[in-house]
Amino acid sequence: MTASPTFVQQLSPELVSTMGTVIAESGRVVVITGAGVSAESGLRTYRGAGGLWTEEGMSAMTMATAAYFFRHPQESWEWYLKRRIEARRASPNRAHHAVAGLSDALGDRFTLITQNIDRLHHRSGMPLGRQVEIHGHHEGMRCAGECIGVEPIPQRFDAWAEGDSLTDADKQLLTCSRCDDLMRPHVLWFDEFYDEAHYAIRTAHGAAAGASVCITAGTSGGVPIAERLATIAVRAGATLIDVNPADNPLRRLALDRGGHARDGSASDILPELAAFVRKAVTQ
Ligand code: OAD
């Protein structure tokens, strides 16, 4: 039986050569990840069958908004605390480790921009200093009145269990120690804007504009940020590679702009890509 070709064998020789040269010389690599990268860690994606936003009764446009939070802070917090515990119980998979490996190999020439709030990239060894958490993360909260910066979620919530409800003591823990306003999850909501202070949007734009290679993995393009950043990268001359088992706008952008799209799971493909880059860097 003939072994199926690896990802790298499926790249055109021109692309392998371009990427190899770019990376071995001084090129920068940006990886943009979405929920599909954590799917094989057992975390649900947002869209598609079984997705968080597709499940019955759950509408992104109502739940994941500041307007909902201010009307129903308890329900909003309970939803995020449940997601946080699910993420904490999950382990990083081969895709997360591959991204951390790319970062190790490339050092300052590497930036991860992740839409995921689950912190699995960080737990796989990816330094926070080389990643932009463009939608925030599960481990932080901040004053809803913006009087203080991001603080860790109090330890008590590490023992949060499915079906728990906030007690009065819990609500006190989720009250700003300075101004007595509500504390809110450190996540970007649909009725809010990307900024530099909380979501490092300028840093993300800069990284995309300076990339020689841009890899998008596990994102549907359901929110425009991934496509916007990938477009900045290709317009500045980067080679775009999309990794996803399903068709999506990033795949079409990559194919339109002479890049490459790989139909498959991030945990299969990113390790091969990371091995290729590591080799290119050490050659
Ligand atoms: P989505 O749920 O919209 O898309 C997940 C993508 O992952 C889909 O394109 C799947 O085909 C793909 N996928 C599934 N399994 C995969 C695997 N094993 N390997 C690779 N890809 C796989 O998630 P995102 O695009 O991340 O924002 O969603 C973007 C944002 O929308 C999220 O950050 C969240 C959500 O609303 C906020 O909450 C602000």
Side-chain angles (χ1 to χ4, degrees):
M1 205 171 89
T2 328
S4 56
T6 65
F7 169 70
V8 172
Q9 285 164 344
Q10 288 182 40
L11 294 176
S12 69
E14 296 75 29
L15 188 50
V16 169
S17 156
T18 309
M19 279 176 53
T21 311
V22 158
I23 292 164
E25 287 175 358
S26 58
R28 293 179 175 275
V29 175
V30 163
V31 173
I32 302 170
T33 60
V37 161
S38 296
E40 284 170 87
S41 293
L43 297 181
R44 290 159 65 192
T45 58
Y46 292 93
R47 298 173 183 80
L52 287 166
W53 296 158
T54 9
E55 82 180 357
E56 204 182 331
M58 181 60 69
S59 158
M61 296 317 289
T62 54
M63 213 297 296
T65 58
Y68 181 86
F69 174 78
F70 286 111
R71 274 199 316 276
H72 306 286
Q74 173 154 355
E75 288 83 348
S76 178
W77 262 117
E78 287 169 358
W79 194 84
Y80 280 99
L81 289 169
K82 180 164 179 269
R83 298 277 92 78
R84 174 173 178 265
I85 286 301
E86 287 167 357
R88 285 186 143 226
R89 287 202 192 109
S91 300
N93 65 51
R94 279 161 45 84
H96 299 104
H97 289 294
V99 172
L102 281 169
S103 171
D104 273 354
L106 292 162
D108 289 346
R109 292 199 277 145
F110 181 82
T111 304
L112 167 67
I113 301 169
T114 185
Q115 298 167 92
N116 299 343
I117 60 175
D118 58 35
R119 277 276 159 116
L120 288 181
H121 281 296
H122 180 48
R123 286 172 50 206
S124 73
M126 178 66 221
L128 286 176
R130 258 183 239 141
Q131 61 175 298
V132 172
E133 292 172 303
I134 199 87
H135 290 161
H137 61 81
H138 268 322
E139 295 301 332
M141 61 178 192
R142 59 182 210 259
C143 173
E146 303 294 355
C147 82
I148 51 174
V150 179
E151 296 191 338
I153 300 276
Q155 247 182 1
R156 172 296 177 246
F157 298 110
D158 297 356
W160 191 259
E162 165 112 40
D164 277 359
S165 295
L166 291 176
T167 62
D168 287 344
D170 292 337
K171 289 178 194 166
Q172 196 52 45
L173 290 172
L174 299 175
T175 301
C176 178
S177 54
R178 185 184 288 179
C179 75
D180 236 24
D181 204 339
L182 290 168
M183 296 296 278
R184 56 165 284 171
H186 175 52
V187 295
L188 180 71
W189 283 318
F190 280 102
D191 50 356
E192 299 182 311
F193 298 98
Y194 293 97
D195 64 10
E196 179 64 16
H198 295 307
Y199 307 109
I201 186 68
R202 246 185 295 118
T203 306
H205 278 195
S212 305
V213 173
C214 176
I215 300 165
T216 50
T219 183
S220 68
V223 296
I225 190 69
E227 194 176 354
R228 199 179 307 146
L229 291 168
T231 301
I232 290 173
V234 293
R235 284 195 181 143
T239 300
L240 178 61
I241 300 172
D242 182 59
V243 177
N244 197 315
D247 189 23
N248 74 85
L250 283 312
R251 174 182 292 186
R252 294 190 288 278
L253 179 66
L255 295 176
D256 283 353
R257 303 296 289 246
H260 194 89
R262 184 65 169 99
D263 186 345
S265 90
S267 66
D268 283 340
I269 294 162
L270 289 181
E272 285 185 39
L273 205 46
F276 171 79
V277 168
R278 198 180 276 279
K279 198 164 156 224
V281 167
T282 51
Q283 258 171 7

